[in-house]
Amino acid sequence: MLNTEPYTRETARSTIYLALARYSSAMSATMRLIQLLVIISVVALAISRRAVASDPDISSDFILPENHTGTTVDASFFTYTGFRGLFDQTPEIFTATKASMDEFPALKGQSVSYAMLQFPPNTIFPPHTRLDSAGLMLVLTGSLEVGLIDSKNVLYIKKLQAGDMFVFPKGLIHYQYNADPNLPATAIASFGSASARSVAVPDSIFTSGIREAVLAKSFKTDISTVRKIRAGLKN
């Protein structure tokens, strides 16, 4: 049934007021939703940054070990002598000697650590990754082949000589290889964390308890090959 009531000025004004009220209500709800989304985004960003941070920031100059007695230290606290004599030795197998906060407590909270890498002839630091820090390596003696795989599965390979440096971005798989059959190589690596953890790819895959059938299918090989690889990693 059609409305036959005269469409007066008052009727028009009431219609406009009602429309404005509904629009205002809708806009208020939209603005509240936008404000809520902004708050959630800010909080999520803060949490994600905290979660991926390599080392927490500290509010003091340095952190004393828990077992330290007293409130003062001398210069020995800031000194590490664990690398003494290593430059005069050539180990029979690849050896990585760390200077992290476990070995050098003064590094705690400083977001830095070192490792000395010693490569006898024809030895390798197998593919590995560091989830909490980038690495910067300096070759001191000999030569090294280094390889790096980025997140797009692109492989970068470089032959380094003494004095060369190479950066390994955080979280990417990489390796170092001394292909020289006669000469050893030595390098020092620095990390942006006081406790940069290394995760070896072969060990993580083949010695972690994953079923042989799963590994064989994943690598498109047979179980006997998987067993040979596992046996080799245990030796």
Side-chain angles (χ1 to χ4, degrees):
M1 181 176 179
L2 296 177
N3 185 2
T4 58
E5 180 181 354
Y7 194 75
T8 64
R9 182 177 297 179
E10 290 299 326
T11 303
R13 185 179 299 158
S14 299
T15 302
I16 293 173
Y17 285 163
L18 179 60
L20 288 174
R22 289 176 178 175
Y23 176 77
S24 177
S25 177
M27 286 299 296
S28 298
T30 302
M31 290 304 298
R32 286 196 298 270
L33 178 59
I34 293 175
Q35 290 172 351
L36 179 60
L37 290 175
V38 169
I39 293 172
I40 292 175
S41 300
V42 171
V43 173
L45 180 60
I47 293 174
S48 64
R49 286 182 174 176
R50 182 180 297 271
V52 301
S54 296
D55 288 351
D57 291 331
I58 61 176
S59 57
S60 57
D61 294 337
F62 51 86
I63 300 176
L64 294 176
E66 295 180 358
N67 58 355
H68 181 78
T69 58
T71 58
T72 60
V73 295
D74 58 20
S76 297
F77 174 72
F78 304 99
T79 304
Y80 182 69
T81 60
F83 287 173
R84 284 184 183 178
L86 292 180
F87 294 92
D88 302 324
Q89 304 174 10
T90 302
E92 296 182 357
I93 61 174
F94 165 74
T95 302
T97 305
K98 297 190 305 178
S100 67
M101 68 179 186
D102 292 333
E103 297 80 19
F104 191 5
L107 295 181
K108 186 174 183 179
Q110 303 301 327
S111 299
V112 67
S113 60
Y114 265 82
M116 181 174 178
L117 311 177
Q118 295 173 284
F119 298 83
N122 196 31
T123 56
I124 189 170
F125 190 171
H128 58 284
T129 183
R130 299 183 187 277
L131 302 178
D132 46 11
S133 172
L136 182 62
M137 189 185 74
L138 168 65
V139 180
L140 300 177
T141 63
S143 61
L144 288 173
E145 174 190 311
V146 296
L148 167 69
I149 304 173
D150 69 11
S151 58
K152 297 180 181 179
N153 208 33
V154 177
L155 173 63
Y156 304 87
I157 298 177
K158 186 69 177 178
K159 181 71 172 292
L160 303 180
Q161 305 293 335
D164 294 344
M165 301 179 72
F166 195 89
V167 62
F168 302 95
K170 178 172 64 174
L172 299 186
I173 295 175
H174 56 278
Y175 69 88
Q176 298 95 20
Y177 174 40
N178 179 15
D180 195 300
N182 301 309
L183 298 177
T186 305
I188 282 186
S190 62
F191 309 103
S193 169
S195 184
R197 299 163 295 169
S198 173
V199 180
V201 176
D203 290 345
S204 297
I205 294 175
F206 288 97
T207 66
S208 60
I210 300 176
R211 291 194 301 117
E212 294 174 343
V214 174
L215 292 174
K217 192 171 185 64
S218 298
F219 288 92
K220 302 185 185 304
T221 185
D222 50 54
I223 291 179
S224 62
T225 301
V226 172
R227 289 175 178 172
K228 289 179 181 179
I229 295 175
R230 280 182 164 173
L233 291 173
K234 291 179 180 179
N235 296 332

